[in-house]
Amino acid sequence: MIKETYAIGDNVQKFCPACDEQFGHIVKSLTKAGLVSRVKCSKCGLTGAYKPSAKAVKIQELAGKTGDPYATTRTYRAGQIIAHPTFGTGEVMTVFNTRTIDVLFADRVRRLVHSRI
Ligand SMILES: [Zn+2]
């Protein structure tokens, strides 16, 4: 799994437009949510904005939300936020025709069972 949250001084891999190559960048500043906002190229020293992946942003958003309790007897829809006793807060990504759903949790997407109408 790719680490999505960092501390100042950590190393992240990023494409440097000045070096025209992917290099290790030093984290210079973080957003309030703990995502990298600015990085400095370890080769040429160029400081630039760092865009976290859409998935990282979504996971950060999930951390602040309260979901509906998860139970196999309940029915869920895409986009619904659920609270799983083991995996924590997740967002329903895909609802299948087979009583299964794919849910994005902080670590990864998991396939769960639900009760289909
Ligand atoms: Zn560079």
Side-chain angles (χ1 to χ4, degrees):
M1 176 197 162
I2 298 165
K3 199 167 91 145
E4 299 281 15
T5 53
Y6 295 89
I8 288 170
D10 275 1
N11 242 296
V12 293
Q13 288 294 316
K14 180 187 177 286
F15 182 82
C16 177
C19 300
D20 201 26
E21 251 184 90
Q22 174 130 338
F23 271 111
H25 281 62
I26 314 294
V27 177
K28 299 299 283 180
S29 64
L30 301 169
T31 66
K32 264 185 260 172
L35 295 172
V36 178
S37 62
R38 292 191 78 76
V39 291
K40 188 178 169 192
C41 178
S42 59
K43 190 171 183 238
C44 70
L46 181 83
T47 304
Y50 179 86
K51 261 192 115 38
S53 70
K55 188 177 168 224
V57 171
K58 212 172 192 50
I59 287 166
Q60 286 290 332
E61 285 173 2
L62 279 176
K65 286 183 181 169
T66 314
D68 299 316
Y70 170 73
T72 55
T73 51
R74 293 173 65 123
T75 305
Y76 301 95
R77 58 184 158 72
Q80 192 168 0
I81 307 297
I82 67 166
H84 193 281
T86 308
F87 308 134
T89 310
E91 181 176 335
V92 180
M93 307 300 288
T94 315
V95 177
F96 298 99
N97 292 328
T98 49
R99 294 188 37 154
T100 52
I101 49 174
D102 271 357
V103 184
L104 174 74
F105 289 103
D107 55 349
R108 65 183 177 91
V109 174
R110 290 167 196 277
R111 189 151 295 179
L112 301 176
V113 175
H114 77 143
S115 176
R116 201 171 137 237
I117 300 168

